[in-house]
Each structure stands twice: as structure tokens, then as C-alpha cells.
Amino acid sequence: MEKLRVAMIGLGMAAGHHARALLDLADQVECVAAFSQTEARRNAFAAQYPTIPTSGDLDALLSDTRIDAVLILTPPNSHLELVERAASGRKHILLEKPLDISLERSEHIVRVTEEAGVLLGVVLQNRFRAAALQLHTIVRSGRLGDLVEASVAIRNWRPQSYYDVEGRGTRARDGGGVLLTQGIHVIDLLLNLAGTPVEVASYVRTTAMHRMETEDLVTATFAFENGGIGTLNATTCAYPGLPDRIELIGTRGTAVFNGDTLEAAFMDGTRESVGGEKSGSGAGADPTAFGHEMHRALLQDFVDAIRKGTPLRVTGEDALKAHRFIDAILTASR
């Protein structure tokens, strides 16, 4: 079988993880171009990944019928237009989170790809953590019983220098703050494990710790259809950054996901644990301080969906659920 031919669009902060994942899968995938409109970024990328050709010609890349798929790694406010162009060229799309800066634009992205008949995968790579995969298996097996409570803690640290980068933490470029930029990863896990809440109440703040337009501190409470309740705390004020945490309490047991580890205890006397992955989290001052193993697994899932027709683990509809929940939290606070 011929290799899948892909191109990267955007060579910013996320590009390194994707490039390393592509090189790991070189027996299945060929990255034929890595685009940036900035020459300095192209040169820096080429120095680090000399086997991947760089390009400053987006029109040529998107019109190249030999390219099967694109990885869109640009700022959120550029996603819709790039997705429209890629979809019109019948290219499958792996899109960095979030989908876009607003729910309306995000819904349009999903609709455009569905109408074009191309796959839309979303980079919510925490789904591929070993602990998260095992927790998903436990929940789906029914071993925890019915959900009583689900609590989430997303306690990241970002210094002011992070938000001093032009556009960062603004509605115009990023669409939001801690929820849409950092918290969406764990929110996606929560919804995948526990379902979508039907009621939400919240407090949303921009603290004195940061000079920024959007929120850096959120506390929300919510209720599920079955009567279970939950809490969410998300911030970029928690120095030096703590592992993301999800606690699920069920009628038959309790499970705690804590970064790279999972501890579950059941009323039948059995226990289960997963740990030792040590892939890092990016919860601290360096958002990229984690390995590329999760990106490799996500990319393999994307390749298999194109080649073998297997279901994507993270779809555009999945990402929309997270966007809608984030919108509900922000709306409730207003």
C-alpha cells in the first residue's frame, strides 16, 4: 500500500510534536510539505527536521491533488477558512484544538467536512494516555456502576510572558482563555467518560495574576441527566502546574485519573491501577513539556481511519460537545 501523503499547515508551538509523530510513522505516512508564511519559522523547522520539505506557498499545497490529508496547526481564528479550502480539495483533515474561536464557526467546520465527505480528526491527544484509555474501558464495562459524582481539576501555570505573545488569550485569536485553550483536553475526557451535563452554574474570573482579555480562573458545578453531579476547577494561576485530575464516583466503585496514573477501587474488593507512563503534561510554564507518544497514537488512529475505515477516536462531533459545554459554563457565569 502506498504511503499516505500529508502536509502540515502551521509551524508554531504544536508543530514539533506532530513532526516527530509523523517521522515515527514514516513507514505509513510521508509528510511532503510543512507550510508557514514566516520564513524564520520555516528555517527553524528545516534545521530541526531536515527530511521534511518546507513551503511558503499555501495555494500550491492546497491545490496539490497528490496530498491526501492536511494537519492544520495554525491559531484557532484561522481554522474555518483553512478547513473550507482543504475540504473543497477533498483532503482529510486533522485539526488542532479548539475547532475555532466560536461555537458557530466550530459547528460550520463540522458541517463543511461532513458535506465534503472528508474525515475530520481533532487533536485532543489526552484520549490516548494509557490511564485515560483504561478508565474509558472501566466506565464502559459498568464496573463503576451508575455515576454519582464527577469532579475535574485543571490546575495549570502560565506566566505573564505566555500571554504577552501577540493575540494569546484574546477572543479574536484564541476564542477564550483557560477553558478553550488548556481545559478543553480534560473537558473532552470528562464528557467522553461521564456524558454531557444538563445543568450548569459557574463563576468565571480574570485574576490579578495575569494581564489578559479572557478568563484564567473558573469554577463550575453541573448536573447530569441521571441525577449525578459534578464540579470543575480550571486555572492557569496554579504555580508550578499540577497534573490534570478526574475523579469518578459510582455506585460500585471510585476511579481517580491523575495525569499519567489511574487508581480504581471497586466494592467487589478488586482494584486496578495504571502508572509509570511519565509522558509529562504541559501543565507548567512550558506548554510543550510532554512527549509526542500521544500525538503518534492519535495520528495512527487518523491514518487507520483513512486507510481501513475504522472509527476515529476523536471526531469533530466530540469536539463540539466540549465547545458547547464550555459555552454553557461561560453563559452561566454571565
Side-chain angles (χ1 to χ4, degrees):
M1 183 179 292
E2 291 186 3
K3 292 182 181 181
L4 191 76
R5 293 170 59 88
V6 306
M8 297 171 61
I9 301 175
L11 299 179
M13 189 165 53
H17 289 85
H18 290 280
R20 290 189 286 276
L22 287 166
L23 293 174
D24 282 356
L25 300 178
D27 61 326
Q28 305 171 57
V29 182
E30 180 184 3
C31 187
V32 298
F35 165 83
S36 175
Q37 62 184 358
T38 307
E39 184 179 7
R41 283 192 172 177
R42 294 197 300 272
N43 292 340
F45 183 87
Q48 193 164 5
Y49 307 101
T51 61
I52 300 178
T54 58
S55 170
D57 191 340
L58 182 61
D59 291 338
L61 185 155
L62 289 172
S63 63
D64 189 341
T65 57
R66 297 169 300 172
I67 294 175
D68 303 302
V70 294
L71 281 58
I72 297 178
L73 317 176
T74 54
N77 63 349
S78 65
H79 287 180
L80 173 57
E81 289 73 23
L82 288 170
V83 166
E84 286 178 326
R85 294 184 66 184
S88 69
R90 304 290 294 171
K91 291 172 173 48
H92 302 294
I93 298 159
L94 185 60
L95 181 64
E96 260 292 348
K97 62 79 193 168
L99 290 172
D100 207 289
I101 60 172
S102 72
L103 181 58
E104 181 182 16
R105 284 172 63 90
S106 299
E107 289 174 336
H108 191 65
I109 281 174
V110 174
R111 188 163 59 249
V112 161
T113 54
E114 288 176 347
E115 290 172 354
V118 298
L119 286 176
L120 173 64
V122 185
V123 183
L124 291 166
Q125 72 273 4
N126 280 7
R127 289 269 198 111
F128 295 87
R129 288 185 180 273
L133 289 168
Q134 186 57 29
L135 180 52
H136 182 268
T137 298
I138 289 171
V139 170
R140 291 295 175 265
S141 72
R143 291 179 68 193
L144 284 179
D146 296 329
L147 180 70
V148 174
E149 185 190 48
S151 63
V152 176
I154 306 156
R155 297 191 174 104
N156 287 191
W157 166 248
R158 295 292 185 269
Q160 181 58 41
S161 57
Y162 172 85
Y163 293 110
D164 288 341
V165 174
E166 184 179 359
R168 229 184 245 153
T170 66
R171 293 183 181 87
R173 194 198 84 151
D174 288 350
V178 63
L179 291 179
L180 201 57
T181 304
Q182 287 84 25
I184 191 170
H185 286 290
V186 187
I187 288 170
D188 169 66
L189 283 180
L190 168 71
L191 302 183
N192 181 244
L193 294 165
T196 302
V198 293
E199 298 176 23
V200 181
S202 64
Y203 291 98
V204 175
R205 298 286 185 266
T206 305
T207 71
M209 295 184 71
H210 293 125
R211 297 182 303 278
M212 59 185 293
E213 181 184 7
T214 53
E215 82 285 350
D216 65 357
L217 178 65
V218 175
T219 294
T221 59
F222 41 88
F224 296 94
E225 191 171 9
N226 75 337
I229 59 175
T231 62
L232 177 146
N233 171 250
T235 187
T236 53
C237 300
Y239 179 85
L242 306 176
D244 295 326
R245 186 177 178 92
I246 298 176
E247 298 180 6
L248 300 180
I249 300 174
T251 54
R252 297 179 182 174
T254 298
V256 178
F257 167 86
N258 191 39
D260 289 331
T261 66
L262 170 67
E263 296 291 337
F266 307 97
M267 291 184 182
D268 62 7
T270 60
R271 305 181 71 90
E272 203 161 324
S273 65
V274 174
E277 195 176 22
K278 303 299 181 187
S279 59
S281 68
D286 180 3
T288 64
F290 56 92
H292 69 283
E293 296 83 4
M294 294 174 291
H295 284 76
R296 182 176 61 218
L298 183 143
L299 185 62
Q300 182 69 71
D301 183 74
F302 182 65
V303 171
D304 288 345
I306 295 172
R307 290 297 200 201
K308 303 176 183 178
T310 54
L312 282 167
R313 184 172 287 274
V314 189
T315 66
E317 285 292 343
D318 291 330
L320 275 182
K321 292 177 184 177
H323 277 259
R324 289 174 179 138
F325 184 46
I326 288 169
D327 233 38
I329 292 171
L330 295 172
T331 299
S333 74
R334 290 194 289 267

